[in-house]
Amino acid sequence: MSLLLPIPAVQALQPLTILVAAPGISGVIAKLEARLQGRRGPRILQPYYDLAKLFAKESLAPAGVNAWFLAAPIVAMACYLTVPLLIPVLTTFGLPWGYMGDILGGGFVLSLGSFVVAVAALQTGGPYAQLGASRSKTFAAITEPVVLFVVFSVALVTGTDLPYALAATVRSSASQIVRPAHLLAAGALFLVILYETGRIPVETHTGTNEFGMIEEARSFEHSGPYLALLKWGSACKQLVLYTLLINVFLAPWGLASSAAIGSVALAIVTLVGKALVVGAAVAVIDDSFAKLRLFKITDFVSAAFLLSVVAVFTLYLGGG
């Protein structure tokens, strides 16, 4: 008989898995993108080396900022690691904190992490940091209603917006996935993920062009360990969004049905494998389409919003 892990240990493994695997997922995506562009690219483990280098450096802060500037990266990281406690990362059964919040609550926590980083950027007085913070909050006002509609449409299909219950409904039958309303909602969520992870539509996720950067601009004035936390938190947010897509909406299989060590270990490997598949698809999409102009972001996000609205109408018209 396999040795069973204590339930609190399984609970702790969910954010720990996200924390450890997130830089590696980013490294694989960066390597694949480089290969698609005909370049050698960085090492897959390069994000880990970058984090180690930043943690060893000195931290500097602009004149005039208060303690919130330094606290923001820590708060943001805490937000990004709270969401894995609420969604099925490794198990099919609900963990102690698994029913303390729904997908909507998890979305609010992710938004809070983004908000505190933007507030810290605004404190610096730096033009690029303030520009990135202003842009991120402007476009967040468009993307957040999309997330609300996605959750609303899927909740209508399944009768609940609890992540574990949603995953159980999808897992109960493959026919659940091919429902028109569900597919439209999942498509809208995927478009939001492309925007939230900086893949489409402006510049690149690692770009430093002041005319297009958003995510990179907000951390312009941070350095040392605090910059490392921001970059690590960004990778964690990316993996959390991938996990939400694959373990709740599209492929909630391969999760552990018990606390046995073997089952949990297999669930970790399966999660990383599925995340790499999503990351590969994102890399191909990112390299296959030209970047849009900044003012075209609203068109891109509006398409996601339209998909979520159509999902709701499709449900009422018998496509759910």
Side-chain angles (χ1 to χ4, degrees):
M1 181 179 294
S2 299
L3 182 64
L4 297 180
L5 290 171
I7 294 300
V10 179
Q11 181 83 81
L13 272 176
Q14 295 211 141
L16 184 61
T17 300
I18 298 294
L19 186 67
V20 174
I25 299 296
S26 298
V28 172
I29 295 175
K31 185 71 172 182
L32 179 58
E33 284 185 332
R35 289 298 188 183
L36 291 173
Q37 295 168 7
R39 299 184 289 109
R40 181 178 180 181
R43 294 172 293 182
I44 291 177
L45 298 180
Q46 188 62 45
Y48 295 103
Y49 294 116
D50 292 341
L51 291 176
K53 180 177 66 175
L54 288 173
F55 275 117
K57 287 189 173 183
E58 180 185 5
S59 294
L60 300 175
V65 300
N66 56 30
W68 181 253
F69 176 79
L70 299 180
I74 301 173
V75 175
M77 176 64 83
C79 290
Y80 299 145
L81 294 182
T82 298
V83 178
L85 298 173
L86 308 176
I87 63 176
V89 178
L90 301 177
T91 65
T92 58
F93 55 91
L95 295 170
W97 290 359
Y99 293 101
M100 294 184 67
D102 54 14
I103 290 183
L104 187 59
F108 286 152
V109 174
L110 287 178
S111 297
L112 176 61
S114 178
F115 174 76
V116 297
V117 175
V119 171
L122 290 173
Q123 281 193 359
T124 64
Y128 292 152
Q130 290 187 334
L131 184 63
S134 175
R135 287 172 173 175
S136 68
K137 294 300 99 185
T138 298
F139 296 124
I142 306 173
T143 59
E144 288 172 2
V146 177
V147 176
L148 290 176
F149 262 90
V150 169
V151 174
F152 178 63
S153 59
V154 176
L156 286 176
V157 174
T158 60
T160 179
D161 59 354
L162 291 173
Y164 281 94
L166 288 173
T169 301
V170 176
R171 195 166 49 247
S172 63
S173 173
S175 61
Q176 299 286 341
I177 299 178
V178 297
R179 290 182 173 186
H182 185 85
L183 289 177
L184 289 169
L189 177 62
F190 184 68
L191 292 181
V192 171
I193 290 175
L194 289 178
Y195 166 75
E196 289 289 342
T197 54
R199 302 293 170 175
I200 293 284
V202 178
E203 295 303 324
T204 66
H205 59 288
T206 57
T208 53
N209 184 334
E210 63 270 20
F211 293 109
M213 61 185 180
I214 297 177
E215 184 72 22
E216 291 291 321
R218 297 189 303 171
S219 59
F220 237 41
E221 302 295 336
H222 285 86
S223 61
Y226 298 99
L227 178 58
L229 284 176
L230 288 176
K231 290 185 174 294
W232 202 351
S234 180
C236 289
K237 178 183 177 181
Q238 173 181 259
L239 184 53
V240 166
L241 291 172
Y242 287 2
T243 302
L244 184 64
L245 179 67
I246 58 182
N247 278 357
V248 176
F249 280 80
L250 294 181
W253 293 281
L255 301 174
S257 57
S258 69
I261 291 181
S263 297
V264 174
L266 181 60
I268 294 175
V269 174
T270 303
L271 172 68
V272 173
K274 290 189 292 186
L276 288 177
V277 172
V278 175
V282 170
V284 172
I285 292 173
D286 193 14
D287 281 354
S288 300
F289 293 90
K291 299 298 179 182
L292 303 175
R293 295 179 183 271
L294 182 65
F295 64 86
K296 289 291 186 179
I297 290 182
T298 54
D299 295 344
F300 179 83
V301 179
S302 296
F305 182 75
L306 180 61
L307 277 180
S308 60
V309 172
V310 171
V312 175
F313 279 104
T314 302
L315 175 66
Y316 280 110
L317 293 175

